Amino acid sequence: DKKFLEKVLVSLQSQNSDDLVKVVIEIRNFITCESSEELATLRISEIMTSDILLQLLDLAVNENPSLQTEAFWTLTTISSNSSHNLSQLLNHNYLTLCLQHLTSSDATNKENALCSLGNIANENEKTRDHLLNCQLTTRIADILQHPDYTHIAALWLHGIWTLNCLTRGSPAPDFDHFKPVVGFVIMTACMTTDLSVKIEAVSTLCNLCLFGAEAAQFCFQLGALGVLAISLEGATVRGRRLVLDSLKTLCGYGSQRDTIVSHPGLMNKLDGLAF
């Protein structure tokens, strides 16, 4: 490993973009050890404590699109390895870098940006709220509904997952950040054929309904209860428990309890569930 890192440091001095792209891919392959998570973590730590990290950050804003994409992809791999690595990257303006790549026309850059931004949202309430103040919820919805990206499954999964991450934490974030995208989340939960995306969308909706009586009422007016009822059919045990926990809490709100009890067929579905 030491010889590899020394070789990489020398190779990163090249002025040839094609050569640099190859080096960055070598770095990513070096830290991606699917057979050993422990080895991957060790190698990433070696990268984090060397000058290679700063080189990657510089290359992620390089004028060459391919080099920029490969460098940012490698940084995403590093940031996803642990909260400690992400925290260190945030000290190097990584959040701004992710938001910058979110505006890229390259789908891979957007996907990696969304992956990192979801992790950043999970880091703490301060970074979560910063992202919400950057209007990330509506930006994600706009990206996923753009004709160039509607067919990219991985982008949808990372996008809806990141929306879900933004709903988490205590205290709960301001529901006003989510009002413009509630309809989009409901539509996604209803129409997607991708089970993983559906699970994230329903989970997001459940979290939003639990923000409080006002948020629940807003979601119900847009059809949330129908989505939750449909989600009980064919759902995994985890999915059913998520929906049931939400419905149980929602019953604590007077008007929502009456709506749930009077929903056609919902009570029969609840009675027929087996775990």
Side-chain angles (χ1 to χ4, degrees):
D1 288 0
K2 183 177 180 181
K3 288 183 178 180
F4 173 81
L5 295 175
E6 290 173 351
K7 186 187 89 169
V8 164
L9 281 169
V10 173
S11 300
L12 285 173
Q13 304 308 311
S14 173
Q15 299 300 311
N16 185 291
S17 295
D18 291 338
D19 290 341
L20 288 171
V21 167
K22 293 177 182 177
V23 175
V24 173
I25 293 175
E26 283 184 20
I27 295 171
R28 190 168 66 253
N29 290 337
F30 173 72
I31 62 176
T32 305
C33 305
E34 296 181 359
S35 60
S36 174
E37 186 176 338
E38 185 178 346
L39 180 59
T41 299
L42 177 62
R43 288 180 170 180
I44 287 174
S45 297
E46 292 173 339
I47 296 293
M48 295 290 289
T49 55
S50 72
D51 291 337
I52 295 175
L53 178 64
L54 295 179
Q55 297 269 24
L56 288 172
L57 288 164
D58 286 340
L59 293 175
V61 292
N62 190 278
E63 292 180 357
N64 183 287
S66 297
L67 184 52
Q68 189 180 106
T69 297
E70 295 297 342
F72 185 57
W73 190 349
T74 304
L75 288 169
T76 302
T77 302
I78 292 172
S79 69
S80 300
N81 177 260
S82 71
S83 177
H84 174 71
N85 292 340
L86 178 59
S87 180
Q88 283 190 267
L89 280 170
L90 289 174
N91 292 332
H92 291 284
N93 226 16
Y94 186 61
L95 191 154
T96 300
L97 180 65
C98 292
L99 290 173
Q100 179 181 331
H101 278 272
L102 191 64
T103 65
S104 169
S105 59
D106 184 272
T108 299
N109 281 344
K110 287 185 181 296
E111 182 185 335
N112 284 320
L114 287 170
C115 179
S116 292
L117 290 169
N119 287 326
I120 291 171
N122 280 333
E123 188 69 4
N124 56 60
E125 285 69 46
K126 182 178 180 180
T127 54
R128 178 203 67 188
D129 292 345
H130 177 78
L131 292 175
L132 288 170
N133 289 330
C134 291
Q135 300 175 329
L136 185 57
T137 55
T138 53
R139 291 170 71 175
I140 291 173
D142 289 344
I143 289 170
L144 297 182
Q145 293 177 100
H146 192 283
D148 290 346
Y149 308 115
T150 54
H151 64 288
I152 303 177
L155 197 62
W156 272 83
L157 180 57
H158 282 109
I160 300 300
W161 173 74
T162 300
L163 277 179
N164 195 357
C165 292
L166 289 166
T167 66
R168 302 170 189 167
S170 180
D174 189 338
F175 181 65
D176 285 344
H177 290 296
F178 297 91
K179 279 185 177 180
V181 300
V182 171
F184 168 72
V185 173
I186 290 175
M187 179 194 71
T188 300
C190 287
M191 299 185 67
T192 183
T193 57
D194 187 310
L195 181 59
S196 296
V197 173
K198 183 183 287 291
I199 289 172
E200 291 298 336
V202 172
S203 176
T204 302
L205 188 57
C206 287
N207 290 342
L208 291 174
C209 287
L210 299 180
F211 275 23
E214 181 182 350
Q217 183 65 38
F218 185 89
C219 293
F220 272 34
Q221 288 173 348
L222 294 183
L225 184 56
V227 173
L228 297 180
I230 293 172
S231 298
L232 288 171
E233 297 178 359
T236 62
V237 171
R238 173 180 172 272
R240 287 177 178 179
R241 292 197 183 282
L242 178 66
V243 174
L244 289 173
D245 285 346
S246 298
L247 292 173
K248 180 179 178 181
T249 303
L250 290 171
C251 283
Y253 309 135
S255 59
Q256 276 71 37
R257 180 187 61 235
D258 296 340
T259 305
I260 291 170
V261 172
S262 63
H263 186 276
L266 177 58
M267 299 309 294
N268 289 334
K269 290 179 183 178
L270 293 177
D271 290 339
L273 286 181
F275 292 93

